[in-house]
């Protein structure tokens, strides 16, 4: 596999309006009976429809909507649009990276874009794949997300523009222009796969946060909440929220040590291995301050033969420390528990709000 090439990753178009009008055309995809699956895409003039009938592809869990190919002797380019309905709220970027790993794509470059509507992180990714024949293909993917009004959950869409690696320098701009110029024709009014529910932290004010409606919230003590993703008696992810007074604990390391003490006090069969606590810029929520403390790790249970992802964030608001801890499934191709868990924690952090008592 040739991974040493510095493949271009344009993020702006150099074409003038006149060149765009002369070299591209707007394709309206209306072949799907459901309006929620219809879209438009801007294609180079020489790229024409090849397949327009929706077809489910079980090996990748996607429904192919439209495929478009070049119709001349110039370097070959292919465009492919597909979607999957998923019942849970997650970042379109996380959904896409799950699919790219499943399809054997190696990510060469990427952009992560926070959608202003609050619907999560979106991705623009350049990939390379070596086929069994030895041929190397460069692809560029972008994603869309919309609520599914018929069945609930969300429709997660991708579009891919691809060519042989040897032809990519000549087609890089056409590929970029295609994957950033497309959208759904009939969007719903909800930019999420699930409605969000507000969890109150106080009967006296509006302190609280939000979670997707498929999550359950339990109050264990006055200073600890548990947010669970459980179905039919099986837990697939849990987020612990613990609160401490800054008069009792003086640093994030103190908060981390006392919050994780329960793991080390349990039977030896349960262990928690983590990185060192580190600070990161706060990109979730201005009310949480300029920086957060975080670390990642893994929880192991020999008795239950379980390996779980561990992630924590620590921040302070007013005179209160908050420790937010996620324990859940690793990423795999059979479900989206990892992606749903990650997104729920991000929603909690981005909507978390504590009203301080007025003097």
């Amino acid at each position: 596999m040739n991974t040493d090439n510095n493949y271009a990753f344009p993020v702006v178009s150099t074409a003038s309006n006149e060149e765009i009008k002369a070299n591209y055309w707007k394709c309206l995809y209306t072949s799907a009976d459901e309006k929620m699956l219809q879209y438009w895409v801007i294609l180079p003039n020489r790229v024409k429809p090849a397949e327009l009938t929706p077809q489910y592809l079980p090996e990748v869990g996607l429904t192919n909507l439209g495929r478009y190919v070049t119709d001349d002797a110039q370097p070959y380019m292919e465009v492919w649009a597909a979607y999957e309905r998923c019942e849970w709220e997650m970042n379109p970027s996380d959904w896409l990276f799950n699919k790219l790993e499943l399809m054997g794509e190696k990510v060469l470059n990427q952009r992560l874009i926070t959608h202003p509507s609050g619907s999560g992180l979106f991705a623009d990714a350049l990939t390379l794949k070596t086929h069994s024949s030895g041929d190397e293909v460069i692809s560029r993917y972008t994603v869309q997300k919309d609520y599914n009004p018929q069945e609930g959950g969300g429709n997660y869409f991708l579009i891919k523009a691809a060519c042989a690696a040897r032809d990519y320098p000549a087609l890089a701009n056409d590929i970029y222009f295609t994957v950033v110029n497309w959208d759904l024709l009939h969007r719903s009014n909800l930019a999420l796969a699930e409605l969000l529910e507000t969890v109150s932290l106080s009967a006296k004010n509006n302190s609280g946060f939000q979670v997707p409606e498929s999550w359950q919230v339990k109050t264990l003590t006055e200073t600890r909440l548990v947010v669970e993703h459980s179905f039919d008696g099986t837990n697939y992810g849990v987020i612990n929220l613990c609160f401490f007074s800054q008069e009792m604990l003086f640093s994030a390391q103190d908060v981390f040590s006392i919050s994780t003490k329960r793991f080390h006090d349990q039977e030896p069969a349960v262990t928690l291995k983590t990185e060192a606590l580190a600070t990161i810029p706060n990109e979730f929520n201005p009310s949480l301050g300029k920086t957060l403390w975080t670390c990642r790790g893994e929880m192991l249970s020999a008795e239950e033969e379980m390996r779980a992802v561990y992630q924590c964030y620590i921040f302070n608001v007013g005179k209160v420390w908050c420790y937010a801890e996620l324990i859940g499934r690793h990423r795999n191709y059979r479900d989206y528990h990892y992606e749903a868990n990650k997104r729920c924690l991000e929603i909690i952090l981005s909507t978390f709000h504590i009203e301080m008592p007025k003097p």
Side-chain angles (χ1 to χ4, degrees), residues 307-328:
R307 295 171 55 249
V309 171
Y310 168 91
Q311 171 91 58
C312 83
Y313 291 96
I314 299 171
F315 55 90
N316 53 56
V317 180
K319 297 181 180 180
V320 177
W321 285 105
C322 180
Y323 167 84
E325 168 198 278
L326 166 66
I327 297 175

Side-chain angles (χ1 to χ4, degrees), residues 117-119 192 195-201 206-212 227 241 282-288 315 317 343-355:
S117 70
S119 54
L192 305 169
L195 294 174
L196 301 183
E197 296 182 346
T198 297
V199 179
S200 176
L201 290 174
N206 294 322
S207 297
F209 57 88
Q210 293 184 311
V211 296
V227 186
L241 295 175
N282 171 25
E283 298 178 347
F284 292 105
N285 181 343
S287 70
L288 306 185
F315 55 90
V317 180
R343 175 68 170 142
C344 182
L345 179 57
E346 292 171 355
I347 289 173
I348 291 173
L349 295 175
S350 64
T351 60
F352 192 92
H353 172 68
I354 288 184
E355 290 190 6

Side-chain angles (χ1 to χ4, degrees), residues 136-148:
E136 293 184 330
V137 175
I138 293 290
S139 303
R140 191 161 180 171
Y141 293 81
T142 58
V143 286
Q144 301 277 358
K145 178 175 73 171
D146 194 28
Y147 181 69
N148 185 318

Side-chain angles (χ1 to χ4, degrees), residues 47 67-70 76-80 160-163 175:
V47 176
R67 191 172 72 89
Y68 312 85
V69 300
T70 50
Y76 179 78
M77 174 177 163
E78 178 175 317
V79 177
W80 176 53
K160 176 182 83 167
C163 68
I175 285 175

Side-chain angles (χ1 to χ4, degrees), residues 161-173:
C163 68
R166 63 180 178 275
D167 296 326
Y168 180 70
L171 296 174
N173 289 319

Side-chain angles (χ1 to χ4, degrees), residues 1-4 7 104-106 108 128-131 134 136:
M1 179 182 292
N2 182 4
T3 58
D4 295 328
Y7 293 103
E105 299 276 4
K106 177 181 175 61
L108 301 177
L128 182 146
K129 182 174 181 178
T130 302
H131 293 264
E136 293 184 330

Side-chain angles (χ1 to χ4, degrees), residues 92-111:
S93 57
D94 291 330
W95 172 79
L96 176 65
F97 291 131
N98 186 308
K99 290 300 181 190
L100 295 181
E101 194 170 336
L102 172 62
M103 293 186 290
E105 299 276 4
K106 177 181 175 61
V107 177
L108 301 177
N109 212 330
Q110 67 183 50
R111 289 191 299 166

